[in-house]
Amino acid sequence: MITKTAFAGSGGQGVLSMGYILAYAAMRDKKNVTYLPSYGAEVRGGTANCTVCISDEEIASPVASAPDYAIVLNKPSMLKYQGIIRKGGIMLVNSSLVDAKAEREDIEVIYIPANKLALELGSERAVNMIMLGAFAAKTGVTSLESLAGGMSDVLKSKSAGLVDLNKKGIERGAEYALHER
Amino acid sequence: MITKTAFAGSGGQGVLSMGYILAYAAMRDKKNVTYLPSYGAEVRGGTANCTVCISDEEIASPVASAPDYAIVLNKPSMLKYQGIIRKGGIMLVNSSLVDAKAEREDIEVIYIPANKLALELGSERAVNMIMLGAFAAKTGVTSLESLAGGMSDVLKSKSAGLVDLNKKGIERGAEYALHER
Amino acid sequence: MADKNKGRIKINSELCKGCYLCISVCPKHIIAVSETLNHQGYYPSKSTDSSDDPKCTGCAMCATICPDVAIEVYRD
Amino acid sequence: MADKNKGRIKINSELCKGCYLCISVCPKHIIAVSETLNHQGYYPSKSTDSSDDPKCTGCAMCATICPDVAIEVYRD
Amino acid sequence: MTEKVLMSGNHVIGEAAVRAGCSFYAGYPITPQNELTEYMAGAMAKLDDGTFIQAESEIAAINMLIGASMAGARVMTSSSSPGISLKQEGISFLSALELPAVIVNCMRGGPGLGNIAPSQGDYFQATRGGGHGDYRNIVLGPASGQEICDLVTKAFDYADEYLTPVMILLDGMMGQMMEPVVFPEYRDISTLPEKTWKIDGAKGRPRRVIKSLLLDVNVEEAHNWKLVRRYEQIKDKIQMAESYKTSDAKLTVIAYGIAARIAKSAVDRAREEGIKAGLLRPVTLWPFPERSLREAASNNTEFLVYEMSTGQMIEDVRLSLNGSSRIHFHGRPGGPVSTPADIYEQIKKYYPR
Amino acid sequence: MTEKVLMSGNHVIGEAAVRAGCSFYAGYPITPQNELTEYMAGAMAKLDDGTFIQAESEIAAINMLIGASMAGARVMTSSSSPGISLKQEGISFLSALELPAVIVNCMRGGPGLGNIAPSQGDYFQATRGGGHGDYRNIVLGPASGQEICDLVTKAFDYADEYLTPVMILLDGMMGQMMEPVVFPEYRDISTLPEKTWKIDGAKGRPRRVIKSLLLDVNVEEAHNWKLVRRYEQIKDKIQMAESYKTSDAKLTVIAYGIAARIAKSAVDRAREEGIKAGLLRPVTLWPFPERSLREAASNNTEFLVYEMSTGQMIEDVRLSLNGSSRIHFHGRPGGPVSTPADIYEQIKKYYPR
Amino acid sequence: MTETIFKRPKYLKDAVFHYCPGCGHGITHRLVAEVIEELDIADRSICVPPAGCAVLAYDYFDIDVGEAAHGRGAAVATGLKRVLPDRIVFTYQGDGDMAAIGTAETIHAANRGENITTIFINNGTYGMTGGQMAPTTLVGQKSTTTPGGRDTKRDGNPLRLSEMLALLDGTIYIERVSVTSPKNIRAAKKAIKKAFQIQMDRLGYSLVEVLSPCPTNWKMSPVDSCKWIDEYMTKTFPIGVIKDNSENK
Amino acid sequence: MTETIFKRPKYLKDAVFHYCPGCGHGITHRLVAEVIEELDIADRSICVPPAGCAVLAYDYFDIDVGEAAHGRGAAVATGLKRVLPDRIVFTYQGDGDMAAIGTAETIHAANRGENITTIFINNGTYGMTGGQMAPTTLVGQKSTTTPGGRDTKRDGNPLRLSEMLALLDGTIYIERVSVTSPKNIRAAKKAIKKAFQIQMDRLGYSLVEVLSPCPTNWKMSPVDSCKWIDEYMTKTFPIGVIKDNSENK
Ligand SMILES: Cc1ncc(C[n+]2csc(CCOP(=O)(O)OP(=O)(O)O)c2C)c(N)n1
Ligand SMILES: Cc1ncc(C[n+]2csc(CCOP(=O)(O)OP(=O)(O)O)c2C)c(N)n1
Ligand code: SF4
Ligand code: SF4
Ligand code: SF4
Ligand code: SF4
Ligand code: SF4
Ligand code: SF4
Ligand SMILES: [Mg+2]
Ligand SMILES: [Mg+2]
């Protein structure tokens, strides 16, 4: 089985590192993985996005014309991805930043007030980890442990404090997604 | 039948126009003709040469690796062409400028004191026409009439005096080659 | 000098990309950041000139520097 | 000043291309065109300095300007 | 000028271009095509609206052509092998932009700086597109002075009709050699169809944009297929080849340009000796005259490809025949010119027994 | 670094090059390969003897490579389609001068400015030599992050062994996509055979000249044939292809690079449906893996060539099979990326009944 | 009665720029469009856009446009102008486009005195390709290919192309401007107008170099970018008239 | 006792130059060979010859030589020098090679301050290809592509590349010399020696422009050619030091 997840938001919201960490988590799970960042700078704009494919087998096309999952951090991204996500897919929306509601009925939409939750944890920097934790919890694409491991693989020697905060973020996101909505 | 004639000397001796006029003469004779000047300026030197092929049929290669005839106006040219002219071929040498004698036995070598003859006609400018006249007379590749016609085709509207001088040169060269050596 | 106060600007908030150069050049400090995102995903700027006590001179400094041609300036 | 007259040049007539720059620069006018062609097809220049009354100063002007490095200059 | 004049291939190109209505030439010197550049310097100066530019480089020249062609002029540039390599980006652009232009490659020995001797080493570059992306150019390979004249004349028309660069591919010897040529009358280009795509200021009409940046992949794909359709049309319409004594040939020599002339004499020689040789001379190198080849092959001949290269056109021969016939090869890369006698020997060597 | 790291194709090229002993990089920005240039800026700065130059143009870059390779360094440059077109003269020179070099073409949609989407439109240019003269370059077409690493490593060795430029031909998506990769150890280049031809000042040895100007046509011809002999050796030794489920296939897809990955999934899908499909993936694009194709053909399969172009590699397929098998084509030029489902449809369409 | 003091110029199409917030390309586009309107030359003007962030200029300028390959704008414009001497041909080029890959074409077109106009956007970076060093990047300035800052030993020095062009006999008018304040922008417009006027008067080559913010690649806010130009960039690239030979013609 | 005052320098091979009678390439070759001998750098020098009449320079200089494509000498030399920083790398280039097709490579190598030396032969023509206009051809001068003489309207103006290069921060020493008289030739040698010395001292880019007769394409005698340089060519291309920054380094 192959799952394709898209991440989207504005530059600076940590969109690319969400995907990156998910890819590392999948590597820990001994899966095949591809990571495709939004590609090329020939047209400028405020958005960033990337796609992560995870599979037990070799991965063919790393492009997701109709992703299974999408994590969107701003409104333009939500508007875009609610259009292309596959039927039956799941979209996670940072409801702290996106006021509108998605319009599709054939997908599951999960609203996470990620900025609010992050502030409660003490720093807005945890926003993307909260979304990622919620994603893992709701989709089972990877485990929270693998995510945390993937996250520290990526951050490596960087500040232990940040690793800690991120870990808390992942857990908090998962908790919220599973129990608090 | 195809005949290949090479012309060689220093730049400025009228070598190229000899070939050019022969080619026009052959056109008057309704022959096929190709004219190949010494080709390319990538290596410099004091010499100029060209090759004229004349044939009743279409002409294949315009290059003469072993020309039938050669008309040489200076010593380096003589040294070169006496080496490559075909067996049984004819070489015409301007003996006013070339003091040495050719060494090959299997070709016919004809010495024409062209500068001297030209001065007698009143101008050194006739040197090349004298050689050409001698060539036509000895080889029969073209007629003196065609040569004269070719020459005026080439010179066109240029000075009538020169056309006249050249005509005389052609005749004088032929005369000398046939009767005076 | 009275005339000078008769300016009025119109910011096309969908063209605006939130560079805030207009804010930095307005001599009257009557442009500010709006609270709502536009469709491009930016917080556009907006005029804060009050109709009671209009300060805008119509100097067009804001429009002159606007890289997205989002501002029109009028004088009534 | 006596020493000054002790020059002598040697022109390699096979290297010479007959540009005659040497002739044009020799302050003593003791270089001239030779009558015989060389193998390259040029009339090389030659020294006309006389052994009776040598004029060459060995100033090497000729050699300095010779584009074909055909001239060597000695002082005996 | 219905009389015969003796002219070098390079000059013939220039004169034929002028008569075809070429009013813009940009080029950069390189042996063995300098006489063409020089000819155009003189010829353009004589026209009221003629432009000659000695460009600062081959790249500048081809890009000047792009501008002049956009503006609607009939345009030409010329160079030789290394210079043509430098024009590859520009040729890809001309092709993408659908701009007519005539490009002359007077090939020399390569690769690298090589030498200035006659060679046919740029066949791949010309016929496969040495530039990037999916495109093809019409490539014409003349073999005599008169044919140079005729094909240059055609080249300008093809370029306009099919909105594509057309390359005249010849070698240094063809460029240098003089032969008698009869030229056509001057073309009155005001009688040609209007170039409804040209840019000359949007006076009284909607503005026009000539561009090749097609960021939408579907638009780019559609553009690519549109070009392919045009190429298919060209393939259908303008395949040209000369067949010489092929009808009963047991060994058919395939050669183009100067090589074909040499081969022709060899074929004659072979016929004299009772050897059933023939010659098939591609005149259009792209589109390759597959039909003529297949027709020849149907007569049960073997083939001998003779190129002044290590073997490039032979791929087109193989592709055309698709395994149906035996194909032999004789190549002389880097400058040496074979004599008819040499090729005659090759014919004997490969003649089927 | 025996652990797996997640890296983009562009970065993998850079890291693999550094580990292979590359100490000289010159390049010019162009999407979609900028990350490679940027990677080399950082990586070369970390080496004692590393040189990174952001050249003023692609032409300058390839000519800097010529100099650095002459001096004996392991050298690399990279670009994308239009930039590679500009390098053609330099590539012809490198080939003529017999200088090792690695050249990366991260292809984009073309011709012209085109777009930055994944494309395979430069196959002809890469495999036929877009530059002038008779030369060939080794061309390698990786299809995964790990293979990029492996082939770049090999590329430097091939370049040195066969004294030739080696091209890594991939598309923008391969360059951008990240996959897990395990890198080899750093190569100690002091253990490599000495470059007895390099120029570094004639101290204690006769002086050396590296040149491609060969005015004597016989010398140039001999040089051309020498290169041909080397190319024959390369053809003999380094043909590489991946065969996947080909032994009993009735329809074998031929595709390279990212296209082959997509095709592989399609083949799996077809197999699930009981359709005997297979995949033959050329890894060396030049030399083309003819032997593998002929072997596959001997199993009585038809072929479906899938390219992200209007059809270029298909000529090599035809040349390899020489009429022995039926060959179908599916092309998507200019950027659109097919899905496995699309290719599955094509397989069904062409599957022999 | 309402008087319109400032509105979108006529020949700037009704499209949203694809440029980043605060980008100088937008301002300069508008100035060019205003000048074209004021000089009433829209129906005989032809724009040659670059490869660079302004590659899509044809989406904005409502006039004829012909695309050039990266760096070759001056050559393409030369071809156009020689065939159409009474049209107004201008190139719009970035610093990478003009001063790196297009160095030769630019210098030689200027040297030939081609009667064209060039708008030269100096933003000290390769904007479109993501912020690599440009020929005009300042010493010490960071870029993706000079992560430690431009080092003159390795990377050379900022290139003052306009000053070099001013040495050429074929150039008539060269001015460097910036678009960092309303005052500078007004001066920029004046310069652009003069450059076009010189072409209309058939005097020869004219060029306006525009110091232009690229907040994205400089990693600064638009406001700071403008300040940075005023404070630092103008030290290496002083604004003002570099050459004006229009009176002598 | 016989004293040798003048003889063939050691590193000039015993070959007949292929140059035309009176060609300045021969003189300049000899000066370069003399300088290499005097500085004792033959075993660490690498020459990068041009495509141009001097393309066969490797037949004459008895040192390592690496060929460059037409115009790309500066780029090839850059590659060589960066890999071998303690070798002496010099290019020998014509005016077509350097100032036309090689404009960009030349300017950017100079601007990077590559520590190389360039001998720049300005003979106002494309010698090798048979006398076409060069960037340096004088106004009114005839050539095969300017049969009516160089016309500034059509063909632009003579390009003073050395003066342009002098504007670049990376260039240390630039001098224009001529080889028209023993005195000028001695000055030329001094300049060439200084240029190499600057490279040996690792100061940066040095260049000597040599006004050099091309009697063949000028269609003048060698003696007249030298006079023509002195009388006309030096008006457009004055000889002397154009830039010397070696003291400040
Ligand atoms: C031949 C070629 N090389 C490289 C590129 C990629 N490229 C596009 S724009 C650009 C440079 C952009 O910088 P600049 O000219 O300064 O314009 P800006 O984006 O900064 O306005 C480059 C390198 C290309 N399109 N073509
Ligand atoms: C790419 C390319 N274009 C053109 C040429 C042809 N070519 C060889 S030398 C030369 C110019 C020679 O002029 P210059 O550089 O002034 O040297 P000179 O012969 O005058 O010394 C040209 C155009 C070439 N070899 N390669
Ligand atoms: S017109 Fe002047 S005063 Fe009015 S908002 Fe704009 S800048 Fe401020
Ligand atoms: S200057 Fe324009 S784009 Fe920038 S904030 Fe103001 S209105 Fe918006
Ligand atoms: S050394 Fe001086 S005096 Fe002697 S021949 Fe030469 S130039 Fe004349
Ligand atoms: S200067 Fe040299 S080449 Fe010229 S004539 Fe004198 S010796 Fe001969
Ligand atoms: S990258 Fe820079 S130049 Fe390009 S649009 Fe953005 S701000 Fe403008
Ligand atoms: S053509 Fe000119 S530059 Fe070339 S060798 Fe002859 S004189 Fe010298
Ligand atoms: Mg820029
Ligand atoms: Mg020159």
Side-chain angles (χ1 to χ4, degrees), chain G residues 9-240:
Chain G
K10 191 166 162 195
Y11 297 106
L12 204 57
K13 295 181 61 131
D14 230 350
V16 181
F17 287 139
H18 69 287
Y19 302 114
C20 310
C23 175
H25 278 301
I27 303 174
T28 313
H29 277 22
R30 196 194 72 231
L31 299 181
V32 170
E34 285 174 3
V35 165
I36 287 174
E37 185 175 352
E38 290 169 22
L39 295 173
D40 194 19
I41 52 174
D43 63 1
R44 59 186 180 110
S45 290
I46 303 170
C47 172
V48 179
C53 280
V55 68
L56 296 174
Y58 43 72
D59 284 350
Y60 311 125
F61 293 128
D62 196 9
I63 57 173
D64 274 8
V65 177
E67 170 191 282
H70 185 39
R72 317 304 174 191
V76 171
T78 296
L80 278 160
K81 184 76 183 189
R82 292 282 184 122
V83 176
L84 302 166
D86 57 355
R87 308 304 198 281
I88 304 301
V89 178
F90 69 99
T91 70
Y92 184 105
Q93 303 183 257
D95 40 8
D97 197 64
M98 261 191 77
I101 192 169
T103 308
E105 287 77 10
T106 304
I107 286 177
H108 286 273
N111 189 53
R112 282 190 305 269
E114 298 295 343
N115 188 26
I116 58 175
T117 301
T118 290
I119 309 297
F120 168 29
I121 304 293
N122 178 354
N123 59 10
T125 188
Y126 284 63
M128 168 173 261
T129 46
Q132 295 82 7
M133 179 184 77
T136 50
T137 298
L138 300 191
V139 175
Q141 190 179 345
K142 287 190 178 162
S143 77
T144 58
T145 46
T146 56
R150 184 178 190 154
D151 166 12
T152 55
K153 276 266 170 234
R154 190 187 79 149
D155 311 308
N157 299 275
L159 192 83
R160 279 178 287 263
L161 184 64
S162 292
E163 277 81 351
M164 292 179 81
L165 293 174
L167 287 186
L168 302 173
D169 295 333
T171 56
I172 301 302
Y173 169 68
I174 298 178
E175 179 165 353
R176 186 180 287 120
V177 300
S178 78
V179 289
T180 54
S181 69
K183 177 166 154 273
N184 288 338
I185 291 168
R186 278 190 289 269
K189 179 170 170 187
K190 226 180 98 198
I192 291 169
K193 195 164 181 176
K194 176 156 184 176
F196 275 91
Q197 190 64 56
I198 279 167
Q199 181 178 170
M200 292 165 72
D201 297 343
R202 297 172 182 256
L203 299 183
Y205 185 87
S206 55
L207 175 143
V208 179
E209 174 177 342
V210 182
L211 303 184
S212 173
C214 174
T216 299
N217 287 306
W218 297 357
K219 306 195 187 312
M220 290 180 201
S221 76
V223 174
D224 288 348
S225 297
C226 290
K227 274 197 204 124
W228 190 80
I229 290 177
D230 292 344
E231 283 174 28
Y232 298 101
M233 207 168 165
T234 50
K235 290 226 174 74
T236 301
F237 297 103
I239 62 177

Side-chain angles (χ1 to χ4, degrees), chain A residues 68-172:
Chain A
D68 304 296
Y69 310 118
I71 301 181
V72 297
L73 301 196
N74 68 8
K75 190 170 164 186
S77 302
M78 190 198 76
L79 297 176
K80 176 176 169 197
Y81 280 92
Q82 80 162 357
I84 62 170
I85 206 163
R86 79 152 160 79
K87 201 175 145 179
I90 301 176
M91 179 157 74
L92 290 96
V93 180
N94 179 353
S95 57
S96 301
L97 298 178
V98 183
D99 48 6
K101 294 276 167 198
E103 281 155 20
R104 264 176 69 180
E105 307 267 295
D106 59 347
I107 60 171
E108 185 179 351
V109 185
I110 299 169
Y111 298 93
I112 314 280
N115 290 55
K116 183 169 149 276
L117 300 179
L119 279 176
E120 290 168 11
L121 287 182
S123 165
E124 285 220 338
R125 294 178 73 183
V127 164
N128 56 350
M129 292 303 116
I130 287 172
M131 294 300 292
L132 208 48
F135 163 79
K138 284 300 290 184
T139 63
V141 164
T142 187
S143 65
L144 299 190
E145 294 70 43
S146 295
L147 261 194
M151 185 264 300
S152 46
D153 287 349
V154 170
L155 292 183
K156 269 191 195 118
S157 48
K158 294 211 189 107
S159 113
L162 183 59
V163 171
D164 220 54
L165 172 69
N166 280 344
K167 229 176 232 158
K168 283 196 195 126
I170 289 169
E171 281 152 19
R172 184 72 188 93

Side-chain angles (χ1 to χ4, degrees), chain B residues 3 5 22 26 29 31 54 69 135-143:
Chain B
T3 61
T5 310
L22 175 60
D29 297 341
K31 305 266 179 137
I54 298 172
Y69 310 117
F135 163 79
K138 283 302 288 183
T139 64
V141 164
T142 186
S143 64

Side-chain angles (χ1 to χ4, degrees), chain B residues 44, chain H residues 19-20 23 25 53 123 127 214-217:
Chain B
R44 322 226 126 265
Chain H
Y19 302 115
C20 310
C23 175
H25 279 300
C53 280
N123 59 9
C214 174
T216 299
N217 287 306

Side-chain angles (χ1 to χ4, degrees), chain E residues 46-285:
Chain E
K46 282 186 211 122
L47 300 181
D48 287 342
D49 63 344
T51 299
F52 167 86
I53 306 183
Q54 186 180 323
E56 59 273 24
S57 70
E58 290 87 353
I59 292 181
I62 193 84
N63 285 285
M64 289 172 186
L65 238 63
I66 289 177
S69 184
M70 284 175 173
R74 285 196 149 185
V75 303
M76 181 168 81
T77 187
S78 62
S79 188
S80 177
S81 311
I84 297 288
S85 290
L86 290 168
K87 291 183 197 281
Q88 292 305 323
E89 187 204 27
I91 295 175
S92 174
F93 268 76
L94 280 164
S95 305
L97 297 166
E98 302 175 76
L99 291 173
V102 173
I103 299 161
V104 178
N105 181 1
C106 192
M107 291 183 277
R108 50 189 249 174
L113 207 44
N115 60 38
I116 57 170
S119 164
Q120 299 183 326
D122 304 351
Y123 181 93
F124 274 147
Q125 186 193 54
T127 59
R128 299 298 187 278
H132 60 286
D134 281 295
Y135 70 91
R136 284 293 209 284
N137 297 142
I138 297 174
V139 183
L140 307 175
S144 71
Q146 187 61 51
E147 196 176 46
I148 291 175
C149 169
D150 300 345
L151 292 182
V152 167
T153 308
K154 282 208 169 93
F156 281 92
D157 287 341
Y158 289 156
D160 279 358
E161 182 175 354
Y162 297 110
L163 296 173
T164 176
V166 177
M167 182 173 281
I168 305 287
L169 191 69
L170 72 172
D171 65 88
M173 193 178 294
M174 292 291 312
Q176 299 291 323
M177 179 175 53
M178 294 192 182
E179 292 188 278
V181 177
V182 179
F183 286 98
E185 289 306 312
Y186 287 88
R187 185 70 171 262
D188 176 3
I189 66 157
S190 71
T191 63
L192 297 174
E194 213 201 320
K195 296 187 170 175
T196 53
W197 44 264
K198 75 176 173 193
I199 51 175
D200 57 353
K203 192 171 199 127
R205 60 161 172 79
R207 64 92 174 237
R208 295 173 185 155
V209 174
I210 299 183
K211 60 161 179 160
S212 69
L213 182 77
L214 301 171
L215 287 174
D216 181 331
V217 294
N218 299 311
V219 175
E220 178 70 81
E221 179 175 30
H223 184 60
N224 271 274
W225 289 124
K226 173 182 161 196
L227 293 180
V228 167
R229 282 193 302 278
R230 191 176 294 145
Y231 298 152
E232 291 302 326
Q233 207 186 339
I234 294 172
K235 272 190 197 172
D236 194 45
K237 292 213 181 140
I238 70 163
Q239 291 185 22
M240 284 188 272
E242 179 197 357
S243 294
Y244 182 69
K245 302 188 179 170
T246 49
S247 59
D248 65 340
K250 296 231 163 315
L251 183 69
T252 304
V253 182
I254 305 186
Y256 70 98
I258 191 82
R261 283 174 77 140
I262 296 167
K264 202 176 205 176
S265 294
V267 165
D268 283 341
R269 168 94 184 268
R271 286 278 173 179
E272 282 167 20
E273 310 287 327
I275 295 174
K276 289 189 176 165
L279 171 71
L280 203 151
R281 177 171 72 87
V283 174
T284 52
L285 302 176

